[in-house]
Amino acid sequence: DQQVKQNSPSLSVQEGRISILNCDYTNSMFDYFLWYKKYPAEGPTFLISISSIKDKNEDGRFTVFLNKSAKHLSLHIVPSQPGDSAVYFCAASADYKLSFGAGTTVTVRA
Amino acid sequence: GAGVSQSPSNKVTEKGKDVELRCDPISGHTALYWYRQSLGQGLEFLIYFQGNSAPDKSGLPSDRFSAERTGGSVSTLTIQRTQQEDSAVYLCASSFVQEQYFGPGTRLTVT
């Protein structure tokens, strides 16, 4: 039972342009959402998070948007850089357990 | 500061053997989690430790899997009588509040 879904397995974007990653969830009890970035042979690295009481959180080039009514969140990366090429995981929490999406592989083209 | 460390980084074992995977969490983090990631899949929750409370083992796939956390710090995940479907990357994470910080993982291959 996949409670967090990332429907795009991959995304290719040109350097300098915006990357938009999407995530949908089904559990209305989720109240905290996170994005993680993962390079090959490394563990996921925390990127940015948002509480359910907010609809936007920004940190430098990264902005996360939350639409609770649609049970949808997105991550915007502007401008995209070659070092952003990685797998991005969306995660959601109702207590202490994180439920993860399957990930989106982002490739930033020079 | 030091992050979460895991050992070994890679483990190849024969079907039917037992394996132990180790996790050293970030000092001061009270919560510790084990996840596994199979090929092409997201992270699957296995077990959660919080302080002295009883662990949440609800994610363990079978009774061949067990985990301990000694002294509120280091944790060991044990897989008995390994099967080929146990092949995956096993990730450990620790947290103080809600953001979990992950180790590099142990890649387990069961032949």
Side-chain angles (χ1 to χ4, degrees):
Chain A
D1 179 21
Q2 193 88 14
Q3 297 189 75
V4 178
K5 293 183 182 179
Q6 294 177 254
N7 291 319
S8 297
S10 63
L11 172 70
S12 180
V13 64
Q14 194 164 9
E15 182 178 2
R17 298 292 186 105
I18 184 171
S19 293
I20 300 176
L21 291 83
N22 293 302
C23 178
D24 297 293
Y25 62 95
T26 56
N27 188 344
S28 58
M29 298 300 290
F30 286 144
D31 60 3
Y32 199 73
F33 304 87
L34 308 90
W35 284 94
Y36 284 84
K37 175 180 178 180
K38 186 179 185 302
Y39 293 118
E42 295 183 10
T45 302
F46 169 72
L47 201 55
I48 192 169
S49 63
I50 188 167
S51 165
S52 60
I53 62 173
K54 293 186 174 183
D55 55 18
K56 178 182 175 182
N57 188 27
E58 194 170 354
D59 184 2
R61 297 185 298 113
F62 303 91
T63 302
V64 56
F65 296 91
L66 176 63
N67 182 334
K68 280 192 299 181
S69 61
K71 294 191 178 68
H72 177 84
L73 69 156
S74 62
L75 174 68
H76 292 205
I77 308 173
V78 183
S80 300
Q81 299 175 351
D84 296 332
S85 295
V87 179
Y88 290 78
F89 291 99
C90 168
S93 169
D95 39 44
Y96 48 80
K97 281 189 283 192
L98 290 180
S99 296
F100 283 84
T104 297
T105 300
V106 172
T107 303
V108 179
R109 309 185 308 272
Chain B
V4 178
S5 61
Q6 292 185 246
S7 61
S9 55
N10 279 284
K11 176 73 176 178
V12 180
T13 190
E14 291 180 355
K15 177 181 172 182
K17 300 282 181 123
D18 298 351
V19 294
E20 283 190 356
L21 312 179
R22 177 186 167 107
C23 172
D24 283 89
I26 294 172
S27 177
H29 280 191
T30 55
L32 186 147
Y33 309 76
W34 284 97
Y35 294 86
R36 76 175 172 182
Q37 185 181 15
S38 302
L39 192 63
Q41 303 294 315
L43 279 71
E44 175 190 5
F45 167 79
L46 297 178
I47 189 169
Y48 160 74
F49 295 91
Q50 173 63 276
N52 294 322
S53 302
D56 177 350
K57 304 179 183 180
S58 61
L60 295 178
S62 78
D63 58 9
R64 296 186 294 105
F65 288 73
S66 62
E68 289 185 341
R69 188 179 186 193
T70 53
S73 182
V74 171
S75 177
T76 303
L77 176 69
T78 302
I79 309 173
Q80 295 179 310
R81 304 180 304 281
T82 52
Q83 304 294 313
Q84 288 187 329
E85 61 263 27
D86 300 335
S87 296
V89 176
Y90 289 81
L91 290 155
C92 174
S94 69
S95 71
F96 184 67
V97 285
Q98 288 191 284
E99 287 82 16
Q100 296 181 23
Y101 294 86
F102 284 82
T106 294
R107 180 173 295 280
L108 175 66
T109 303
V110 182
T111 61

